[in-house]
Amino acid sequence: FCRLPWWRSSATCKSWQLGHFLPRDRCQMLNIKAINTTVGQEQQIGMQEKQVLEDLEMPLARRETETLFQEQPETGNQYLEDTLLRSYLKTHLPPKVLEEVHQDLERFGNRLLTKIQPLGWECELNPPVFRQYDAWGWRVDHIHTCSAWKRMKEISAEEGLIAEAYERRFSNWSRLYQAVKLYLFSSSSGGFNCPLAMTDGAAKVIESLGIPGSLKNAFDRLTSRDPEKFWTSGQWMTERRGGSDVANGTETVARKQPDGTYRLYGFKWFTSAADSDMTLTLARIADAEGQCTQGSRGLSLFFLRVRDEEGKLNNIQVQRLKDKLGTRQMATAELWLHGARAELISAEGRGVASISNMLNITRIHNVIGAVASMRRMISLSREYARRRVAFGKLLKDHPLHMQTMARMEVQARGAFLLLMEIVRLLGLAETKLASEQDQLLLRLLIPVAKLYTGKQASAVAVEAMESFGGQGYMEDTGLPVILRDTLVLSIWEGTTNILSLDVLRSLAKSHGQVMAVFLSTVQKKLELASGSEELAPAVQRTREAIGSLTQFLEAAGPEQAVTMELAARDFSYSLARIYTG
């Protein structure tokens, strides 16, 4: 693409045929055939070229039509086109489960294509709007979301995107099946995958507490298939003084009431899906003298309804909506809690431990979103390569272009298989079928996968956007939306460095057991692969990587805390690459 200062030139023409702006004399010099994208219709190509040349010779004011000679990539049923997904399910699922799952996913793929994708784009075009006061000066703090966003909530219930994991119709495979549906839904959801992540996390926390009677209604609504009953949940943890450092950053105070409930007072600085029905949040319980225990020991977990039965906010004031780089479809707000009525659901001082289940689930959803965005961008790029002609042949016939796409494909496939391994292990754990080794491995792989796929997704999205040339940079293609929304994946639910340190904590708390399980699991997989001659080079490279990792751990030793912290990110990347391989 020519980057010329067309806004400074009086001899400029708006040449959409070329997909960018060029001075008119340069346009006339270009070989139109080299950029034409119509394939297999030589007569039509000739007519189009003639029309382009005639348009270029015509004064700008006389042009009635200006056509972009590039074909829009069109994908079909996401499930049917995802050969890796279908291959994985065929390999792993029991035959009876596969038969039922296949039929539902094919139906869901058609619904995504015909109904859900247009709604997702509508959510992007109509972001939430905050109205603080009504026409008469009364404070209303109303967050208006578009009809498409509301419809996404209904569809989420109808499709059982949360319910599927908790009904356990397919025993230990239910969680994996839910993850597959979320993976297909994510890139078409118009950002609704984010509230679903927190909803799933809230349901997991309540289930882990034994679904106490006071929370049964909330659990039933979070896991309902009825759009009239279905609730979504928020996760209010970030405050003014901290993001990941909740132990020192949480200032919200809980004051006990005579009826046993609590009133919360504080400022929640970053609350995603502020239009949700309920939330789980952390606060410090004040004693009789008004004093609060500091640090993580002072944090307790609370459940609260965002609005009452009449739709009025629960003593909550909306300060403003966040002006974010991406995920603009979703309302993220700053909230003041002025005596919000809440229920204590953890033991006092055990809030961080109780909410850990929610964090694990939302981190897995983060991985789902990362893998889904990679698959979506690559699918569009692949379709474009089959249609776009440059330098006399289709992009798919250019070896360098295909090498670039192949490298993206390897990243996406590896991330997908890592995701499937995690949800497989989670399904075993939730149905009491997981061994101790399975549980240790799951504890390690969740932060590893979250931090690594978050980085992968943004890199693949940028590379895929570049494969479209200048068209990839155009807002109305929808490609920049995917890129913007992808960038949050390495930040939300813990940055790369924070999660790398979490990986080290998992090693320390298990006294080395986690690492031993990781290495033995990888060795078993390599033994299975050793029987294939064509995999021999890959097996050898992986074994060399394991050797290097083991040597590093031995050299660092148990006393070298600073060395391990400095190496935490690279160490976590190595774990991800080895296990993915």
Side-chain angles (χ1 to χ4, degrees), residues 514-553:
V514 164
M515 200 63 217
V517 169
F518 175 87
L519 292 173
S520 65
T521 303
V522 171
Q523 291 291 0
K524 289 177 183 177
K525 293 181 183 296
L526 288 176
E527 288 172 10
L528 290 172
S530 297
S532 174
E533 185 177 346
E534 64 179 346
L535 291 178
V539 170
Q540 180 61 29
R541 284 196 296 272
T542 308
R543 284 182 170 149
E544 289 171 359
I546 294 172
S548 298
L549 191 69
T550 304
Q551 288 177 9
F552 167 75
L553 288 171

Coordinates of all heavy atoms in Angstrom, one line a residue, residues 514-553:
V514 N 3.7 -30.7 42.1 CA 3.1 -30.2 40.8 C 4.1 -30.4 39.6 O 3.7 -30.8 38.6 CB 2.7 -28.7 40.9 CG1 2.5 -28.1 39.5 CG2 1.4 -28.6 41.7
M515 N 5.4 -30.0 39.9 CA 6.3 -30.1 38.8 C 6.6 -31.6 38.5 O 6.8 -31.9 37.3 CB 7.6 -29.4 39.3 CG 8.6 -29.1 38.1 SD 7.8 -27.9 37.0 CE 8.4 -28.5 35.4
A516 N 6.6 -32.4 39.5 CA 6.8 -33.9 39.2 C 5.7 -34.4 38.4 O 6.0 -35.2 37.5 CB 7.0 -34.6 40.6
V517 N 4.5 -34.0 38.7 CA 3.3 -34.5 37.9 C 3.4 -34.0 36.5 O 3.1 -34.8 35.5 CB 2.0 -34.1 38.6 CG1 0.8 -34.4 37.7 CG2 1.8 -34.8 39.9
F518 N 3.8 -32.8 36.3 CA 3.9 -32.2 35.0 C 4.9 -33.0 34.2 O 4.6 -33.4 33.0 CB 4.3 -30.7 35.1 CG 4.6 -30.1 33.8 CD1 3.6 -29.5 33.1 CD2 5.9 -30.0 33.2 CE1 3.8 -28.8 31.8 CE2 6.1 -29.4 32.0 CZ 5.1 -28.8 31.3
L519 N 6.1 -33.2 34.7 CA 7.1 -33.9 34.0 C 6.7 -35.3 33.6 O 7.0 -35.8 32.5 CB 8.4 -33.9 34.7 CG 9.1 -32.5 34.9 CD1 10.3 -32.5 35.8 CD2 9.5 -31.9 33.6
S520 N 6.1 -36.0 34.6 CA 5.7 -37.4 34.3 C 4.6 -37.5 33.3 O 4.6 -38.4 32.5 CB 5.3 -38.1 35.6 OG 4.1 -37.5 36.1
T521 N 3.7 -36.6 33.3 CA 2.6 -36.5 32.3 C 3.2 -36.3 30.9 O 2.8 -37.0 30.0 CB 1.6 -35.5 32.7 OG1 1.1 -35.7 34.0 CG2 0.4 -35.5 31.7
V522 N 4.1 -35.4 30.8 CA 4.7 -35.1 29.5 C 5.5 -36.3 29.0 O 5.4 -36.7 27.8 CB 5.6 -33.8 29.6 CG1 6.4 -33.7 28.3 CG2 4.7 -32.6 29.9
Q523 N 6.2 -36.9 29.9 CA 7.0 -38.1 29.5 C 6.1 -39.2 29.0 O 6.4 -39.9 28.0 CB 7.8 -38.6 30.7 CG 8.9 -37.7 31.1 CD 10.1 -37.6 30.1 OE1 10.0 -38.2 29.0 NE2 11.1 -36.8 30.4
K524 N 4.9 -39.4 29.6 CA 4.0 -40.5 29.2 C 3.5 -40.1 27.8 O 3.3 -41.0 26.9 CB 2.8 -40.6 30.1 CG 3.2 -41.2 31.5 CD 2.0 -41.2 32.4 CE 2.4 -41.8 33.8 NZ 1.3 -41.8 34.7
K525 N 3.2 -38.9 27.5 CA 2.7 -38.5 26.2 C 3.8 -38.7 25.1 O 3.5 -39.1 24.0 CB 2.2 -37.0 26.2 CG 1.0 -36.8 27.1 CD 0.5 -35.3 27.0 CE -0.7 -35.1 28.0 NZ -1.9 -35.8 27.5
L526 N 5.0 -38.4 25.5 CA 6.1 -38.6 24.6 C 6.3 -40.0 24.3 O 6.7 -40.4 23.1 CB 7.4 -37.9 25.2 CG 7.4 -36.4 25.2 CD1 8.7 -35.9 25.9 CD2 7.3 -35.8 23.8
E527 N 6.2 -40.9 25.2 CA 6.3 -42.3 25.0 C 5.3 -42.8 24.0 O 5.6 -43.6 23.1 CB 6.2 -43.1 26.3 CG 7.3 -42.9 27.3 CD 7.1 -43.5 28.6 OE1 6.1 -44.2 28.8 OE2 7.9 -43.2 29.5
L528 N 4.1 -42.3 24.1 CA 3.0 -42.7 23.1 C 3.4 -42.2 21.7 O 3.2 -42.9 20.7 CB 1.7 -42.1 23.5 CG 1.0 -42.7 24.8 CD1 -0.2 -41.8 25.1 CD2 0.6 -44.1 24.5
A529 N 4.0 -41.0 21.6 CA 4.3 -40.4 20.3 C 5.6 -41.0 19.8 O 5.8 -41.0 18.5 CB 4.6 -38.9 20.5
S530 N 6.4 -41.7 20.6 CA 7.7 -42.2 20.1 C 7.5 -43.4 19.1 O 8.4 -43.7 18.3 CB 8.5 -42.8 21.3 OG 8.8 -41.7 22.2
G531 N 6.3 -44.0 19.1 CA 6.0 -45.0 18.1 C 5.8 -44.6 16.7 O 5.8 -45.4 15.8
S532 N 5.7 -43.3 16.5 CA 5.5 -42.7 15.2 C 6.8 -42.1 14.7 O 7.4 -41.2 15.3 CB 4.4 -41.6 15.2 OG 4.3 -41.0 13.9
E533 N 7.3 -42.7 13.6 CA 8.6 -42.2 13.0 C 8.6 -40.8 12.6 O 9.5 -40.0 12.8 CB 8.9 -43.1 11.8 CG 10.3 -42.8 11.2 CD 10.7 -43.7 10.1 OE1 10.0 -44.8 9.9 OE2 11.6 -43.4 9.4
E534 N 7.4 -40.3 12.0 CA 7.4 -38.9 11.6 C 7.4 -37.9 12.7 O 7.6 -36.8 12.5 CB 6.2 -38.7 10.7 CG 4.8 -38.9 11.3 CD 3.7 -38.7 10.4 OE1 3.9 -38.1 9.3 OE2 2.5 -39.0 10.7
L535 N 7.0 -38.4 13.9 CA 7.0 -37.5 15.1 C 8.4 -37.5 15.8 O 8.5 -36.8 16.8 CB 5.9 -37.9 16.0 CG 4.5 -37.7 15.6 CD1 3.5 -38.2 16.7 CD2 4.2 -36.2 15.3
A536 N 9.3 -38.3 15.4 CA 10.6 -38.5 16.1 C 11.3 -37.1 16.3 O 11.8 -36.9 17.4 CB 11.5 -39.5 15.4
P537 N 11.4 -36.3 15.3 CA 12.1 -35.0 15.5 C 11.4 -34.1 16.5 O 12.1 -33.5 17.4 CB 12.1 -34.3 14.1 CG 11.9 -35.5 13.1 CD 11.0 -36.5 13.8
A538 N 10.1 -34.1 16.5 CA 9.3 -33.3 17.5 C 9.5 -33.9 18.9 O 9.7 -33.1 19.9 CB 7.9 -33.3 17.1
V539 N 9.5 -35.2 19.0 CA 9.7 -35.8 20.3 C 11.1 -35.5 20.9 O 11.3 -35.1 22.0 CB 9.6 -37.4 20.2 CG1 10.1 -38.1 21.5 CG2 8.1 -37.8 19.9
Q540 N 12.1 -35.5 20.0 CA 13.5 -35.2 20.4 C 13.6 -33.7 20.9 O 14.2 -33.5 21.9 CB 14.4 -35.4 19.2 CG 15.9 -35.1 19.6 CD 16.4 -36.0 20.7 OE1 16.0 -37.1 20.9 NE2 17.4 -35.5 21.5
R541 N 13.0 -32.8 20.1 CA 13.0 -31.4 20.5 C 12.3 -31.2 21.9 O 12.8 -30.4 22.7 CB 12.4 -30.5 19.4 CG 13.3 -30.4 18.2 CD 12.8 -29.2 17.3 NE 11.4 -29.5 16.8 CZ 11.2 -30.1 15.7 NH1 12.2 -30.6 14.9 NH2 10.0 -30.3 15.2
T542 N 11.2 -31.9 22.1 CA 10.5 -31.7 23.3 C 11.3 -32.2 24.5 O 11.3 -31.6 25.6 CB 9.1 -32.4 23.3 OG1 8.4 -32.0 22.1 CG2 8.3 -32.1 24.5
R543 N 11.9 -33.4 24.3 CA 12.8 -33.9 25.3 C 14.0 -33.0 25.7 O 14.4 -32.9 26.8 CB 13.3 -35.3 24.9 CG 12.2 -36.4 25.1 CD 12.6 -37.8 24.7 NE 11.6 -38.8 25.1 CZ 11.4 -39.9 24.5 NH1 12.2 -40.2 23.4 NH2 10.5 -40.7 24.9
E544 N 14.5 -32.4 24.7 CA 15.6 -31.4 24.9 C 15.1 -30.3 25.7 O 15.8 -29.8 26.6 CB 16.2 -31.0 23.6 CG 17.0 -32.1 22.8 CD 17.3 -31.7 21.4 OE1 17.0 -30.5 21.0 OE2 18.0 -32.5 20.7
A545 N 13.9 -29.8 25.4 CA 13.3 -28.7 26.1 C 13.1 -29.1 27.6 O 13.3 -28.3 28.5 CB 12.0 -28.2 25.5
I546 N 12.6 -30.3 27.8 CA 12.4 -30.8 29.2 C 13.8 -30.8 29.9 O 13.9 -30.4 31.1 CB 11.7 -32.1 29.2 CG1 10.3 -32.0 28.7 CG2 11.7 -32.7 30.6 CD1 9.7 -33.4 28.5
G547 N 14.8 -31.3 29.2 CA 16.1 -31.3 29.8 C 16.6 -30.0 30.3 O 17.1 -29.8 31.4
S548 N 16.4 -29.0 29.4 CA 16.8 -27.6 29.7 C 16.1 -27.1 30.9 O 16.6 -26.4 31.8 CB 16.6 -26.7 28.5 OG 17.4 -27.2 27.4
L549 N 14.8 -27.4 31.0 CA 13.9 -26.9 32.1 C 14.4 -27.5 33.4 O 14.5 -26.8 34.4 CB 12.4 -27.2 31.8 CG 11.4 -26.6 32.7 CD1 11.3 -25.1 32.4 CD2 10.0 -27.2 32.4
T550 N 14.6 -28.8 33.3 CA 15.0 -29.5 34.6 C 16.4 -29.0 35.0 O 16.6 -28.8 36.3 CB 15.1 -31.0 34.3 OG1 13.9 -31.5 33.8 CG2 15.5 -31.8 35.5
Q551 N 17.3 -28.7 34.1 CA 18.6 -28.2 34.5 C 18.5 -26.8 35.2 O 19.2 -26.5 36.1 CB 19.5 -28.1 33.3 CG 20.0 -29.4 32.7 CD 20.8 -29.3 31.5 OE1 21.2 -28.2 31.0 NE2 21.2 -30.4 30.8
F552 N 17.6 -26.0 34.6 CA 17.4 -24.7 35.2 C 16.8 -24.8 36.6 O 17.3 -24.1 37.5 CB 16.4 -23.9 34.4 CG 15.8 -22.7 35.1 CD1 16.6 -21.5 35.2 CD2 14.6 -22.7 35.6 CE1 16.2 -20.4 35.8 CE2 14.1 -21.5 36.3 CZ 14.9 -20.4 36.4
L553 N 15.9 -25.7 36.9 CA 15.3 -25.9 38.2 C 16.4 -26.4 39.2 O 16.4 -25.9 40.3 CB 14.1 -26.9 38.2 CG 12.9 -26.4 37.5 CD1 11.9 -27.5 37.3 CD2 12.2 -25.2 38.3

